[in-house]
Amino acid sequence: MQIKTIKAEETWALRKTVMWPDRDLEYVKLKEDDQGLHFGLFKDEKLTSVVSLFVKGEAAQFRKFATLVEEQGKGYGSVLLNHVIDQVQALGVKTLWCNAREDKLSFYKKFALTPTEQTFEKGGIRYRIAERTL
């Protein structure tokens, strides 16, 4: 497997397939995509997992973290998230956070991301902000 920096456009199809298969492609694009760092994990040269990172001062948010459904549970997302953590630490970021789907909170807890009291709903899915001090 290999992790590469990729263009935002390269993340969109995987984001849609995994996160919002019933929505059109425009729904998964972020207006901030051109300001982010985008990473892709490739398995046998196939894009398998993606994440987008947005750094603002001493805080960074990762968004649109997705792994192909048939490849979930095999550790690819963990490898990619550890890569993001290494990247933000090298940049001197003090706080890493995300909008975690509530049904995925146990995954984020393994990376010392602590759920906060802040919640919201989007597209019928409940989210909770999770953060980690680095």
Side-chain angles (χ1 to χ4, degrees):
M1 90 183 74
Q2 182 181 26
I3 296 173
K4 299 178 188 177
T5 301
I6 60 176
K7 295 178 183 177
E9 303 84 63
E10 295 176 86
T11 69
W12 296 339
L14 199 145
R15 285 178 184 176
K16 179 192 178 327
T17 299
V18 175
M19 302 177 84
W20 299 103
D22 59 335
R23 304 288 178 126
D24 63 26
L25 192 62
E26 289 301 312
Y27 193 79
V28 301
K29 296 178 183 180
L30 300 171
K31 63 181 178 178
E32 305 89 1
D33 267 338
D34 62 337
Q35 300 163 23
L37 299 169
H38 309 279
F39 302 100
L41 181 140
F42 293 80
K43 175 189 164 208
D44 300 325
E45 299 184 27
K46 179 181 180 184
L47 185 58
T48 303
S49 188
V50 297
V51 66
S52 298
L53 180 66
F54 301 89
V55 179
K56 293 181 183 163
E58 294 186 339
Q61 178 188 20
F62 65 92
R63 299 183 68 184
K64 303 297 183 188
F65 181 30
T67 300
L68 292 172
V69 174
E70 65 271 19
E71 299 294 350
Q72 291 178 10
K74 298 179 181 177
Y76 302 122
S78 294
V79 170
L80 188 55
L81 187 51
N82 278 322
H83 179 79
V84 167
I85 292 167
D86 291 345
Q87 294 295 309
V88 295
Q89 286 177 323
L91 293 171
V93 168
K94 304 290 185 214
T95 304
L96 179 64
W97 66 283
C98 71
N99 297 326
R101 291 183 180 207
E102 287 203 333
D103 65 340
K104 302 293 185 186
L105 281 171
S106 62
F107 173 80
Y108 293 113
K109 288 178 182 177
K110 293 188 270 186
F111 298 89
L113 284 147
T114 304
T116 69
E117 295 300 315
Q118 299 172 331
T119 63
F120 64 95
E121 187 174 309
K122 177 184 175 190
I125 296 175
R126 301 265 317 143
Y127 291 86
R128 182 174 300 272
I129 294 174
E131 62 185 14
R132 172 181 169 173
T133 302
L134 302 169

Coordinates of all heavy atoms in Angstrom, one line a residue, residues 60-102:
A60 N -6.4 21.8 13.1 CA -6.7 21.2 11.8 C -7.9 20.3 11.9 O -8.1 19.6 12.9 CB -5.4 20.3 11.3
Q61 N -8.7 20.3 10.8 CA -9.8 19.4 10.7 C -9.6 18.5 9.6 O -9.2 18.9 8.5 CB -11.1 20.3 10.5 CG -12.3 19.4 10.3 CD -13.6 20.2 9.9 OE1 -13.5 21.3 9.3 NE2 -14.7 19.6 10.1
F62 N -9.9 17.2 9.8 CA -10.0 16.3 8.7 C -11.4 16.0 8.3 O -12.3 16.0 9.2 CB -9.1 15.0 8.9 CG -9.6 14.1 10.0 CD1 -10.5 13.1 9.7 CD2 -9.2 14.2 11.3 CE1 -10.9 12.2 10.7 CE2 -9.6 13.4 12.3 CZ -10.5 12.4 12.0
R63 N -11.7 15.9 7.0 CA -13.0 15.8 6.5 C -13.1 14.7 5.4 O -12.1 14.4 4.8 CB -13.5 17.1 6.0 CG -13.6 18.2 7.0 CD -14.1 19.5 6.5 NE -15.6 19.3 6.2 CZ -16.3 20.3 5.6 NH1 -15.8 21.4 5.3 NH2 -17.6 20.1 5.4
K64 N -14.3 14.3 5.2 CA -14.6 13.4 4.0 C -13.6 12.2 4.0 O -13.0 11.8 3.0 CB -14.5 14.2 2.7 CG -15.4 15.3 2.6 CD -16.9 14.9 2.7 CE -17.8 16.1 2.5 NZ -19.2 15.8 2.8
F65 N -13.5 11.6 5.2 CA -12.6 10.4 5.4 C -13.5 9.2 5.0 O -14.5 8.9 5.6 CB -12.2 10.4 6.9 CG -11.3 9.3 7.3 CD1 -10.4 8.7 6.4 CD2 -11.4 8.8 8.6 CE1 -9.6 7.7 6.9 CE2 -10.6 7.8 9.0 CZ -9.7 7.2 8.2
A66 N -13.0 8.5 4.0 CA -13.8 7.4 3.5 C -12.9 6.3 2.9 O -11.9 6.5 2.3 CB -14.7 7.9 2.3
T67 N -13.3 5.0 3.2 CA -12.7 3.8 2.7 C -13.7 3.0 2.0 O -14.8 2.9 2.4 CB -12.1 3.0 3.9 OG1 -11.1 3.8 4.5 CG2 -11.4 1.8 3.4
L68 N -13.3 2.5 0.8 CA -14.2 1.6 0.1 C -14.9 0.6 1.0 O -14.2 0.0 1.8 CB -13.5 0.9 -1.1 CG -13.0 1.7 -2.2 CD1 -12.1 0.9 -3.1 CD2 -14.2 2.4 -3.0
V69 N -16.2 0.4 0.9 CA -16.9 -0.4 1.8 C -16.3 -1.8 1.9 O -16.1 -2.4 2.9 CB -18.4 -0.5 1.4 CG1 -19.2 -1.5 2.3 CG2 -19.1 0.9 1.5
E70 N -16.0 -2.4 0.7 CA -15.4 -3.8 0.7 C -14.1 -3.9 1.3 O -13.6 -5.0 1.5 CB -15.5 -4.3 -0.8 CG -14.5 -3.6 -1.7 CD -15.2 -2.4 -2.5 OE1 -16.2 -1.9 -2.0 OE2 -14.6 -2.0 -3.5
E71 N -13.4 -2.7 1.5 CA -12.1 -2.7 2.1 C -12.1 -2.3 3.6 O -11.0 -2.2 4.2 CB -11.1 -1.8 1.3 CG -11.0 -2.3 -0.1 CD -10.2 -3.6 -0.3 OE1 -9.7 -4.2 0.7 OE2 -10.2 -4.1 -1.4
Q72 N -13.2 -1.9 4.1 CA -13.3 -1.5 5.5 C -13.0 -2.6 6.4 O -13.3 -3.8 6.1 CB -14.7 -0.9 5.8 CG -14.9 0.4 5.1 CD -16.2 1.1 5.3 OE1 -17.0 0.6 6.1 NE2 -16.5 2.1 4.5
G73 N -12.5 -2.3 7.6 CA -12.1 -3.3 8.6 C -10.8 -4.0 8.4 O -10.5 -4.9 9.1
K74 N -10.0 -3.6 7.4 CA -8.8 -4.2 7.0 C -7.6 -3.3 7.5 O -6.4 -3.7 7.2 CB -8.7 -4.5 5.5 CG -9.8 -5.4 5.1 CD -9.7 -5.7 3.6 CE -10.8 -6.6 3.1 NZ -10.8 -6.8 1.7
G75 N -7.8 -2.2 8.1 CA -6.8 -1.4 8.6 C -6.3 -0.2 7.7 O -5.5 0.6 8.1
Y76 N -6.9 -0.1 6.5 CA -6.5 0.9 5.6 C -6.8 2.3 6.2 O -6.0 3.3 6.1 CB -7.1 0.8 4.2 CG -6.7 -0.6 3.6 CD1 -7.7 -1.5 3.2 CD2 -5.4 -0.9 3.5 CE1 -7.4 -2.7 2.7 CE2 -5.0 -2.2 2.9 CZ -6.0 -3.0 2.5 OH -5.7 -4.3 2.0
G77 N -8.0 2.5 6.7 CA -8.3 3.8 7.3 C -7.4 4.2 8.4 O -7.1 5.3 8.6
S78 N -7.1 3.2 9.2 CA -6.2 3.4 10.4 C -4.8 3.9 9.9 O -4.3 4.8 10.5 CB -6.0 2.2 11.2 OG -7.3 1.8 11.8
V79 N -4.3 3.3 8.9 CA -3.0 3.7 8.3 C -3.1 5.1 7.8 O -2.2 5.9 8.1 CB -2.6 2.7 7.2 CG1 -1.4 3.3 6.4 CG2 -2.2 1.3 7.8
L80 N -4.2 5.4 7.1 CA -4.3 6.8 6.6 C -4.5 7.8 7.7 O -3.9 8.9 7.6 CB -5.5 6.8 5.6 CG -5.7 8.1 4.8 CD1 -4.4 8.4 4.0 CD2 -6.9 7.9 3.8
L81 N -5.3 7.5 8.7 CA -5.5 8.5 9.8 C -4.2 8.7 10.5 O -3.9 9.8 10.9 CB -6.6 8.0 10.7 CG -7.0 9.1 11.8 CD1 -7.3 10.4 11.2 CD2 -8.2 8.6 12.5
N82 N -3.4 7.6 10.8 CA -2.1 7.8 11.4 C -1.2 8.7 10.5 O -0.4 9.5 11.1 CB -1.4 6.4 11.6 CG -2.0 5.8 12.9 OD1 -2.2 6.5 13.9 ND2 -2.1 4.5 12.9
H83 N -1.3 8.6 9.2 CA -0.5 9.5 8.3 C -0.9 10.9 8.5 O -0.1 11.8 8.6 CB -0.7 9.0 6.9 CG 0.0 9.9 5.9 ND1 1.3 9.7 5.6 CD2 -0.4 10.9 5.1 CE1 1.7 10.6 4.7 NE2 0.6 11.3 4.4
V84 N -2.2 11.2 8.6 CA -2.7 12.5 8.9 C -2.2 13.1 10.2 O -1.8 14.2 10.3 CB -4.3 12.6 8.8 CG1 -4.8 13.9 9.4 CG2 -4.8 12.3 7.4
I85 N -2.3 12.2 11.2 CA -1.8 12.7 12.5 C -0.3 13.0 12.5 O 0.2 14.1 13.0 CB -2.0 11.6 13.6 CG1 -3.5 11.5 13.8 CG2 -1.3 11.9 14.9 CD1 -4.0 10.2 14.6
D86 N 0.5 12.2 11.8 CA 1.9 12.5 11.6 C 2.1 13.8 10.8 O 3.0 14.6 11.2 CB 2.6 11.4 10.8 CG 2.8 10.1 11.6 OD1 2.6 10.1 12.8 OD2 3.0 9.1 10.9
Q87 N 1.3 14.1 9.8 CA 1.4 15.3 9.0 C 1.1 16.5 9.9 O 1.8 17.5 9.8 CB 0.4 15.3 7.8 CG 0.8 14.2 6.8 CD 2.1 14.5 6.1 OE1 2.3 15.6 5.6 NE2 2.9 13.5 6.0
V88 N 0.0 16.5 10.7 CA -0.3 17.7 11.5 C 0.7 17.9 12.6 O 1.0 19.1 12.9 CB -1.8 17.6 12.0 CG1 -2.7 17.7 10.8 CG2 -2.0 16.5 12.9
Q89 N 1.2 16.9 13.1 CA 2.3 17.0 14.2 C 3.5 17.7 13.6 O 4.1 18.6 14.2 CB 2.6 15.7 14.8 CG 1.5 15.2 15.7 CD 1.8 13.9 16.4 OE1 2.3 13.0 15.7 NE2 1.4 13.7 17.6
A90 N 3.9 17.3 12.4 CA 5.0 17.9 11.7 C 4.8 19.4 11.4 O 5.7 20.2 11.3 CB 5.3 17.2 10.4
L91 N 3.5 19.8 11.2 CA 3.2 21.2 10.9 C 3.0 22.0 12.2 O 2.8 23.2 12.1 CB 1.8 21.2 10.1 CG 1.9 20.6 8.7 CD1 0.5 20.6 8.1 CD2 2.8 21.5 7.8
G92 N 3.1 21.4 13.3 CA 3.0 22.1 14.6 C 1.6 22.4 15.0 O 1.3 23.2 15.9
V93 N 0.6 21.6 14.5 CA -0.8 21.8 14.8 C -1.0 21.3 16.3 O -0.4 20.3 16.7 CB -1.7 20.9 13.9 CG1 -3.1 20.8 14.4 CG2 -1.6 21.6 12.5
K94 N -1.8 22.0 17.0 CA -2.0 21.7 18.4 C -3.3 20.9 18.7 O -3.4 20.1 19.6 CB -2.1 23.0 19.3 CG -0.9 23.9 19.2 CD 0.3 23.2 19.8 CE 1.5 24.2 19.8 NZ 2.8 23.5 19.6
T95 N -4.3 21.1 17.8 CA -5.6 20.4 17.9 C -6.0 19.8 16.6 O -6.0 20.5 15.6 CB -6.7 21.4 18.4 OG1 -6.3 22.0 19.6 CG2 -8.0 20.7 18.7
L96 N -6.4 18.6 16.6 CA -6.9 17.9 15.5 C -8.4 17.5 15.8 O -8.7 17.1 16.9 CB -6.1 16.6 15.2 CG -6.6 15.8 14.0 CD1 -6.5 16.6 12.7 CD2 -5.8 14.5 13.9
W97 N -9.3 17.8 14.8 CA -10.7 17.5 15.1 C -11.4 17.1 13.8 O -10.9 17.2 12.7 CB -11.4 18.7 15.7 CG -11.5 19.9 14.9 CD1 -10.5 20.8 14.6 CD2 -12.7 20.4 14.2 NE1 -11.0 21.8 13.8 CE2 -12.3 21.6 13.5 CE3 -14.0 19.9 14.1 CZ2 -13.2 22.3 12.8 CZ3 -14.9 20.7 13.3 CH2 -14.5 21.8 12.7
C98 N -12.6 16.5 14.0 CA -13.4 16.1 12.9 C -14.9 16.1 13.3 O -15.2 16.1 14.5 CB -13.0 14.7 12.4 SG -13.5 13.4 13.6
N99 N -15.8 16.0 12.3 CA -17.2 15.8 12.5 C -17.4 14.3 12.3 O -17.4 13.9 11.2 CB -18.0 16.6 11.5 CG -17.8 18.1 11.6 OD1 -17.7 18.6 12.7 ND2 -17.9 18.8 10.5
A100 N -17.5 13.6 13.4 CA -17.6 12.1 13.3 C -19.0 11.7 13.3 O -19.9 12.1 14.0 CB -16.9 11.5 14.5
R101 N -19.3 10.8 12.3 CA -20.6 10.1 12.4 C -20.7 9.4 13.7 O -19.8 8.7 14.1 CB -20.8 9.2 11.2 CG -20.9 9.9 9.9 CD -21.1 8.9 8.7 NE -21.2 9.6 7.4 CZ -21.8 9.2 6.4 NH1 -22.5 8.1 6.4 NH2 -21.9 9.9 5.3
E102 N -21.8 9.5 14.4 CA -22.0 8.9 15.7 C -21.7 7.4 15.7 O -21.2 6.9 16.7 CB -23.3 9.3 16.4 CG -23.3 10.8 16.8 CD -24.3 11.1 17.9 OE1 -25.3 10.4 18.0 OE2 -24.0 12.1 18.6

